[in-house]
Amino acid sequence: MIYYVDQRAPREGNGSKERPFRYISDAAKLAQPGDEVLVFPGVYRENVNPVNGGTEENRIVYRSVEPLGAVITGAEEVTGWKRWQGNVWTIRVDNGIFGDFNPYTTEVYGDWYFAPTVRHAGCVYLNDRMMYEALTMEELIAGEVYAPSWEPEYSVYKWIAEQDGNETVIYANFQDKDPNAEKTEINVRRRCFFPIETGRGYITFSGFKVEKAATTWSPPAAFQDGMVGPHWSKGWIIEDCDISNSKCNGISLGKYYDEENDHYFTTKHLKSPTQMERDAVCRGQYHGWLKEKVGSHIVRRCHIHHCEQTGIVGRMGCVFSIIEDNHIHHINNMQELGGAEIAGIKLHAAIDVTFRRNHIHHSTMGIWCDWEAQGTRITQNFLHHNERPEGCAWAEGGMESQDIFIEVSHGPTLIDNNIMLSKSSVRLATQGAALVHNLMMGPLTYVGEGTTWRYTPYHIRHRTEVAGFMTFLHGDDRIYNNIFVQGQPADAPVERGGPREHERLSGTWCFDEYPTYEEWIKWFDLDVARPDMHKLDAYHFSHLPMWVDGNVYLGGAKPWKNEKHNLVNDEAKVEVEVVEKDGAWSLKTNLFDYLGGMECGIIHSDILGKAFEPDQRFESPDGTAIIFDRDYLGEKRGVSAVPGPFASKESAEAQLW
């Protein structure tokens, strides 16, 4: 059955083409497996709760008839502002409009939140842009630049709210603008399209514009909020949407709610938040964390931007998903929020998740896979300018910036055919990773650090069931056929949020203390029938081996001391410039001038072998082998390969996005 929705209909209807519903929520109460909900252009100021889910054979489809013509918003327009003092105006809002969730009394705060100040979930929007929340009336009236903002000239637009009986009183500094002559809105709803109940699977959400919801802070041991999300279910497709202006998260692939482990550290302080993450994983089995029930979502071709925690967040509910062809940018640029859950994409337990062909830029961080990145593949992504801009002050509580961060995982985690142009390329507080055919203009950071006895689970291969727990020995990494460029001077001043002094040198030199496989295997007395367990105990907690070969090091980048086949050119003056013209992105580069005919072998799964702790091969989610014979654009490499993400000079000069 097809239900029709048209906000411009003269009166409420029955969902037929002749008498469409005026609200998507009305169709969402009735839609059954196999039904389609067609939504005509208009602004839909509602929080849609899909009451039913579809099935694998018969999905429920919600589709905007005109791509991006149907807008679902968590905000309401407000008029009747009164000038209060100078550039500051005020308005009073009856709290009845908020229902049981007032975003102007709800703090954005919780586990892993590090900023010294706490903001609120609500916001004021001026001509479709978030204004900054002032902490005091004095700050509001002054209307001065907020130094950590990535766009300081706009940070002078500020607001503050207070409660007066049954009313929320909002004050806003609009500078020289008259809010009654501009488009001004305030947050009213927490979400836009999100089922209240779990288990509402197999829904397609296609072609909508979603904006301006009062989402809340979403760490891993807590319910994870988002403007759009499946809420602990299976098989959603979120496609061709424009998602912006979420106070915290755009899309949540999420986590179950567990009242006994929801912001536990924040509310009780007794157990460490790391321990509560372990608890969340184990308790997940009770909450149905199985391949047959949760995950396997697809997020594709979405434009996600101007959100202040993440573009996409997920903890456990994201497993077995595909995130592809999305354009994600300007995440956390206001810098009002700070903590360990901020990135363009931030997923915990990205088991068998594939990130491919995404373009992520101008965000505090690009892709952050935290905990259990087992079977995770990050491939053919274009990442750049994921760093604080020049002249921007450090936001206290903010995180370090890099294109990709893999944290406390036993692998196998595969990073291949990516273009990484930010000041830091990959942060490796992990083990069991493979870097193959990437271009990296920044260093590898936090190698062998940041884990501090963080016993972390690994899983039955291509499943969610826990196979064991182990801390991190580090190493067990494969680094083949990459190009490392010293993109920033190695003696540049140390900046907060960037590489530390000893990390500014690009390349694989940071693994010099790690053994080769031949050195490592000799420790274990394999030819002794009854080895001395106590003697071997030290080796059971020593670094794991490294495999490094076929890499290129340019402009001062340095190789691992044991690498035998590489190309090193310290004098290379490499230029890599991102060029954007009419929405098309490409590179202007002389990179191929310095490769000197360097060729290397074609890498495949059997060369990479198995990650140590899970004993799992670097392979596809279905268990088949991967052959790295295609480059960033999908061009074939032939019988031999050129290091880096481009099979040819022509590929490097082509349109990348």
Side-chain angles (χ1 to χ4, degrees):
M1 185 171 182
I2 298 177
Y3 292 101
Y4 296 88
V5 182
D6 192 341
Q7 187 268 333
R8 300 166 297 181
R11 60 172 297 175
E12 293 188 22
N14 57 15
S16 65
K17 191 172 185 180
E18 295 74 22
R19 294 186 57 198
F21 291 129
R22 294 193 69 187
Y23 299 97
I24 305 170
S25 295
D26 292 338
K29 294 174 184 176
L30 301 176
Q32 298 288 330
D35 289 347
E36 186 171 13
V37 178
L38 297 180
V39 184
F40 286 89
V43 178
Y44 296 84
R45 299 186 185 276
E46 54 182 315
N47 179 6
V48 181
N49 168 33
V51 173
N52 301 306
T55 66
E56 189 171 5
E57 297 78 20
N58 293 289
R59 310 181 65 82
I60 298 178
V61 177
Y62 293 80
R63 190 182 309 281
S64 175
V65 172
E66 177 185 301
L68 307 183
V71 181
I72 307 176
T73 176
E76 294 283 344
E77 285 196 73
V78 286
T79 58
W81 292 87
K82 296 180 180 179
R83 192 181 292 273
W84 181 67
Q85 179 178 330
N87 291 328
V88 178
W89 300 64
T90 187
I91 195 166
R92 304 178 78 89
V93 180
D94 190 292
N95 286 341
I97 195 172
F98 302 125
D100 60 359
F101 179 82
N102 186 337
Y104 298 94
T105 60
T106 303
E107 292 184 333
V108 178
Y109 183 69
D111 292 359
W112 300 102
Y113 188 89
F114 297 153
T117 56
V118 177
R119 314 288 175 165
H120 291 88
C123 198
V124 177
Y125 300 87
L126 175 63
N127 296 325
D128 298 316
R129 301 193 64 185
M130 288 188 196
M131 295 173 63
Y132 287 66
E133 183 177 2
L135 300 176
T136 64
M137 280 292 188
E138 291 75 16
E139 179 188 345
L140 175 79
I141 294 168
E144 296 175 344
V145 166
Y146 176 60
S149 171
W150 288 25
E151 193 179 3
E153 63 274 15
Y154 189 75
S155 68
V156 299
Y157 295 92
K158 301 179 186 291
W159 66 273
I160 198 170
E162 63 183 19
Q163 298 300 305
D164 184 9
N166 292 324
E167 293 182 320
T168 295
V169 186
I170 300 174
Y171 302 86
N173 189 331
F174 292 102
Q175 298 298 329
D176 59 349
K177 292 182 171 57
D178 178 354
N180 295 312
E182 308 288 339
K183 181 182 178 182
T184 54
E185 297 171 285
I186 63 168
N187 282 124
V188 171
R189 288 166 291 279
R190 182 173 179 177
R191 309 180 191 104
C192 294
F193 190 92
F194 199 103
I196 294 174
E197 301 294 333
T198 61
R200 300 313 188 248
Y202 298 104
I203 287 176
T204 296
F205 184 72
S206 181
F208 290 88
K209 186 174 183 180
V210 183
E211 60 184 22
K212 301 171 187 153
T215 53
T216 55
W217 183 252
S218 300
F223 171 77
Q224 292 195 317
D225 219 349
M227 293 201 295
V228 178
H231 193 189
W232 202 244
S233 63
K234 185 174 180 180
W236 275 43
I237 298 174
I238 302 170
E239 63 183 10
D240 300 312
C241 294
D242 187 295
I243 295 174
S244 70
N245 283 292
S246 173
K247 189 56 179 266
C248 288
N249 306 296
I251 295 173
S252 171
L253 300 181
K255 179 186 168 288
Y256 59 88
Y257 173 72
D258 183 345
E259 64 179 355
E260 295 182 16
N261 186 7
D262 192 71
H263 296 286
Y264 180 100
F265 175 78
T266 297
T267 56
K268 298 183 180 179
H269 315 302
L270 299 176
K271 295 182 182 179
S272 79
T274 300
Q275 177 62 19
M276 300 320 294
E277 289 189 48
R278 283 186 281 266
D279 284 6
V281 171
C282 294
R283 294 171 72 92
Q285 305 297 310
Y286 171 78
H287 289 277
W289 191 37
L290 295 170
K291 188 173 186 178
E292 291 76 19
K293 294 184 177 181
V294 175
S296 297
H297 307 299
I298 298 174
V299 180
R300 62 190 177 199
R301 301 187 302 272
C302 290
H303 181 201
I304 307 171
H305 55 103
H306 295 94
C307 301
E308 288 306 307
Q309 182 185 335
T310 72
I312 303 174
V313 73
R315 201 322 174 213
M316 300 164 69
C318 60
V319 291
F320 314 114
S321 293
I322 297 172
I323 300 174
E324 62 183 2
D325 299 309
N326 301 289
H327 187 191
I328 302 174
H329 60 95
H330 292 90
I331 304 298
N332 192 231
N333 285 189
M334 295 174 75
Q335 292 281 287
E336 290 189 308
L337 310 183
E341 308 304 327
I342 289 173
I345 304 174
K346 174 68 190 286
L347 300 187
H348 283 75
I351 297 172
D352 280 3
V353 173
T354 298
F355 307 79
R356 63 188 175 208
R357 300 188 303 270
N358 300 289
H359 182 193
I360 306 177
H361 60 96
H362 291 93
S363 298
T364 297
M365 199 182 301
I367 297 172
W368 186 353
C369 290
D370 200 349
W371 289 59
E372 306 143 274
Q374 183 169 331
T376 304
R377 185 178 183 187
I378 303 172
T379 181
Q380 297 174 312
N381 299 282
F382 181 26
L383 304 111
H384 59 92
H385 291 98
N386 294 308
E387 65 225 357
R388 189 170 75 253
E390 296 293 334
C392 177
W394 170 261
E396 189 175 351
M399 292 300 295
E400 292 83 0
S401 293
Q402 53 269 313
D403 284 327
I404 295 174
F405 183 9
I406 310 298
E407 185 176 13
V408 291
S409 173
H410 298 290
T413 307
L414 180 56
I415 303 170
D416 69 281
N417 288 296
N418 299 286
I419 302 168
M420 293 177 270
L421 306 182
S422 300
K423 290 182 180 179
S424 294
S425 292
V426 183
R427 187 175 180 182
L428 281 174
T430 192
Q431 66 186 43
L435 281 68
V436 182
H437 279 293
N438 300 286
L439 169 61
M440 289 173 270
M441 294 292 290
L444 306 176
T445 67
Y446 272 76
V447 171
E449 300 182 43
T451 57
T452 319
W453 295 97
R454 291 171 68 179
Y455 277 88
T456 302
Y458 51 94
H459 300 263
I460 301 297
R461 290 185 287 272
H462 307 298
R463 300 284 305 177
T464 58
E465 292 89 341
V466 173
F469 286 79
M470 184 55 184
T471 189
F472 293 89
L473 310 179
H474 299 286
D476 193 28
D477 299 321
R478 291 88 171 142
I479 304 179
Y480 289 108
N481 299 2
N482 301 279
I483 299 176
F484 294 91
V485 180
Q486 187 65 42
Q488 300 290 322
D491 58 354
V494 177
E495 297 180 356
R496 292 191 67 176
R500 295 168 296 177
E501 186 169 5
H502 71 283
E503 295 178 326
R504 290 173 297 171
L505 184 60
S506 296
T508 54
W509 63 273
C510 45
F511 291 101
D512 278 356
E513 66 182 80
Y514 289 71
T516 65
Y517 176 78
E518 290 73 21
E519 292 169 332
W520 176 79
I521 198 67
K522 288 179 180 178
W523 297 341
F524 293 99
D525 292 342
L526 297 186
D527 57 347
V528 177
R530 297 180 180 178
D532 183 342
M533 185 175 68
H534 296 290
K535 172 189 172 184
L536 298 183
D537 187 62
Y539 302 127
H540 288 146
F541 287 90
S542 297
H543 284 326
L544 295 168
M546 293 291 301
W547 293 263
V548 182
D549 193 60
N551 300 289
V552 172
Y553 304 85
L554 302 175
K558 298 298 182 185
W560 184 45
K561 67 179 183 181
N562 292 312
E563 185 174 4
K564 296 179 179 179
H565 175 226
N566 60 31
L567 186 155
V568 181
N569 184 342
D570 290 337
E571 305 304 316
K573 305 296 183 183
V574 178
E575 298 176 1
V576 179
E577 178 185 354
V578 177
V579 178
E580 188 270 328
K581 184 177 181 181
D582 299 327
W585 299 74
S586 60
L587 294 183
K588 181 180 179 182
T589 180
N590 63 351
L591 189 63
F592 270 76
D593 293 347
Y594 296 106
L595 297 187
M598 170 80 168
E599 291 186 346
C600 46
I602 300 294
I603 303 299
H604 53 79
S605 290
D606 289 338
I607 289 176
L608 297 180
K610 294 181 178 181
F612 178 71
E613 292 294 353
D615 196 29
Q616 180 176 325
R617 189 172 68 152
F618 290 84
E619 61 189 12
S620 298
D622 64 1
T624 58
I626 300 172
I627 302 175
F628 298 89
D629 58 353
R630 297 185 185 183
D631 74 353
Y632 169 88
L633 292 171
E635 181 179 333
K636 290 281 287 184
R637 288 197 160 97
V639 296
S640 63
V642 177
F646 304 117
S648 64
K649 182 178 181 180
E650 291 73 24
S651 184
E653 295 172 348
Q655 180 179 326
L656 303 180
W657 181 265

